[in-house]
Each structure stands twice: as structure tokens, then as C-alpha cells.
Amino acid sequence: RIARHAWACIAISHNEIDHFSAYGVPGEKVRVIPNGVDPDDFRCRDDQDFREKYALGDSPFLLFMGRLNHIKGPDLLIRAFARIHGQFESLKLVLAGPDDGFKPNLIRIMKEMYLTDHVRFIGYVGGEEKSCAYHAADLLVIPSRQEAMSIVVLEAGICGTPVVLTDRCGFNTVDEVRGGKVVPATVDGLAHGIQNILANSTNTRLFGANLKKFVEKHFI
């Protein structure tokens, strides 16, 4: 009722217009104003300190940044990580974010997949440590089952870190600008996307540079 009677509604991505439509709000009443990012919040970088703090050594690692919640898909990511781990044996998975009641399920999956030595749950990170996490990561993975517009894409992008994200994140433009890979929200889709990027270190750097340019141009 509030949405229907509002003079105007704000969406953060075009795919949210359909959500407003379901509430009975005509498209002409919806204005799209996307999320943005401040580069000054992500200038801090200390790869060695971050790696030492979380016992990562020199291993490459995937980063998940978000709440440990079913809708965010960390369970899909752990299962996808298990699929590719034999190909990238030194690869680690770092899950950064507060537990939203889903962590026990994730720990169970991790143990079932024999990944205890390769997965790190580091809890909430913010400020300079969040910036360091993005910079140190080889790849940010966003396995969400549903998002309006994933702001962590912008945060990773401004740090020059490429992304793999699902097609439920409202950010398919990442594929178009070659800043990463947009994949189905499935274990197979995530595994394939991660493999595709990590298989070539030159491509990984190129995807990161492309995403950084795109974010700097449109979201600052």
C-alpha cells in the first residue's frame, strides 16, 4: 500500500522495476538510482598482513563478502569450490561476513566435502580490513539466489578484483564489459565461471582492470 500510493519510487537497478510492478506501481513512477562507491574507502592495501592474519600463506583465494544466509548462496559456493579444488589444489575460500543463522549448515557441508583445511570463516570485516580483503583476493564470488544490485561488485571493482556473480544479482553488465563472469545460480554454473577465470592469470588481471574502469566511469 505504501509503494502504490507513493508519489515516486526509487529502484537501485532496472530489474527492481518488476518488483514494484508486482506491488501495483506503474513503471513510470519508478526512478532508477544505482548504488555507488567511494574510492577513498578502498585505498588501503596490505596483502601480506591480511594473508598472515588468516593463515592463507601465498595461496590464491576466492572471497565471499556478505551475510551467511541461504539467499546469499554461500552453500552453493562451497559445493562449487569442492568441484574445482582438485584442479586448483592450493586455492583457498574465504567467507567474510556475519552469521545470519546459516553457518552451522555451511560448516557441515565443508566437512562433508573434506574442505576444512581450505575454507576460512573470518566473520564481519569492515573499514580498512574490508579494503585489504578485496585487494588481496584473486576473485570475488557472489553466489546469491536473489539480489537487487550487488554493491560488493562495485567494491571489488574499484579495487581491480574481478568477479563471478549469478544472474540473480541485477548486474549482468559485468559480462558485457568483460569485468568477470555472470553465471546461473547453481553449483555447476559457479564452478564453471570460477574455472574459466582462474585458468588464465592474464585474463584474471584483464577482467579486474576492465571492471575497475567500468566502476570508475559509472558508479563514483
Side-chain angles (χ1 to χ4, degrees), residues 13 21 25 28 42 65 68 74 84 95 106 112 116-117 131 134-135 140 144 155 186 193:
S13 66
S21 178
V25 179
E28 60 268 21
F42 295 93
M65 184 73 71
L68 302 184
I84 67 168
L95 294 105
L106 302 177
E112 288 176 355
T116 303
D117 293 336
S131 175
Y134 282 123
H135 282 290
L140 176 75
S144 293
E155 294 175 346
T186 63

Side-chain angles (χ1 to χ4, degrees), residues 7-96:
W7 180 81
C9 296
I10 297 172
I12 58 174
S13 66
H14 287 280
N15 68 318
E16 264 198 322
I17 295 175
D18 291 338
H19 299 174
F20 280 110
S21 178
Y23 295 146
V25 179
E28 60 268 21
K29 288 181 65 175
V30 182
R31 303 290 183 268
V32 177
I33 303 176
N35 287 321
V37 64
D38 185 347
D40 288 339
D41 291 339
F42 295 93
R43 298 198 187 282
C44 183
R45 178 169 192 170
D46 192 334
D47 294 6
Q48 183 176 352
D49 182 70
F50 184 84
R51 289 176 172 280
E52 287 180 356
K53 182 174 181 178
Y54 296 108
L56 294 166
D58 295 326
S59 299
F61 72 91
L62 310 176
L63 177 66
F64 169 92
M65 184 73 71
R67 290 179 293 119
L68 302 184
N69 182 291
H70 179 265
I71 200 169
K72 295 291 186 179
D75 55 317
L76 299 177
L77 177 53
I78 292 177
R79 294 186 186 279
F81 180 66
R83 293 267 183 98
I84 67 168
H85 193 255
Q87 183 180 348
F88 305 98
E89 293 185 358
S90 64
L91 188 66
K92 299 287 192 294
L93 172 60
V94 174
L95 294 105

Side-chain angles (χ1 to χ4, degrees), residues 87 99 113 161 198:
Q87 183 180 348
D99 181 24
M113 300 291 178
T161 301
L198 293 185

Side-chain angles (χ1 to χ4, degrees), residues 35-210:
N35 287 321
V37 64
D38 185 347
D40 288 339
D41 291 339
F42 295 93
R43 298 198 187 282
C44 183
R45 178 169 192 170
D46 192 334
D47 294 6
Q48 183 176 352
D49 182 70
F50 184 84
R51 289 176 172 280
E52 287 180 356
K53 182 174 181 178
Y54 296 108
L56 294 166
D58 295 326
S59 299
F61 72 91
L62 310 176
L63 177 66
F64 169 92
M65 184 73 71
R67 290 179 293 119
L68 302 184
N69 182 291
H70 179 265
I71 200 169
K72 295 291 186 179
D75 55 317
L76 299 177
L77 177 53
I78 292 177
R79 294 186 186 279
F81 180 66
R83 293 267 183 98
I84 67 168
H85 193 255
Q87 183 180 348
F88 305 98
E89 293 185 358
S90 64
L91 188 66
K92 299 287 192 294
L93 172 60
V94 174
L95 294 105
D99 181 24
D100 210 10
F102 202 47
K103 186 175 178 180
N105 295 311
L106 302 177
I107 291 175
R108 176 182 55 80
I109 295 170
M110 176 188 71
K111 290 179 177 179
E112 288 176 355
M113 300 291 178
Y114 301 101
L115 294 172
T116 303
D117 293 336
H118 308 286
V119 178
R120 306 281 188 273
F121 292 92
I122 67 173
Y124 170 80
V125 295
E128 291 185 348
E129 186 171 27
K130 187 177 188 181
S131 175
C132 289
Y134 282 123
H135 282 290
D138 292 82
L139 181 65
L140 176 75
V141 186
I142 307 160
S144 293
R145 291 178 165 95
Q146 186 63 54
E147 293 273 355
M149 176 191 175
S150 184
I151 195 169
V152 294
V153 172
L154 305 182
E155 294 175 346
I158 204 65
C159 297
T161 301
V163 300
V164 168
L165 70 160
T166 69
D167 54 10
R168 309 289 180 84
C169 294
F171 221 141
N172 291 355
T173 311
V174 167
D175 245 350
E176 299 170 17
V177 302
R178 289 181 57 78
K181 290 291 180 181
V182 177
V183 301
T186 63
V187 173
D188 286 343
L190 289 163
H192 180 74
I194 295 168
Q195 281 177 319
N196 190 284
I197 290 187
L198 293 185
N200 188 317
S201 59
T202 300
N203 280 345
T204 304
R205 290 191 294 271
L206 180 61
F207 281 129
N210 289 343

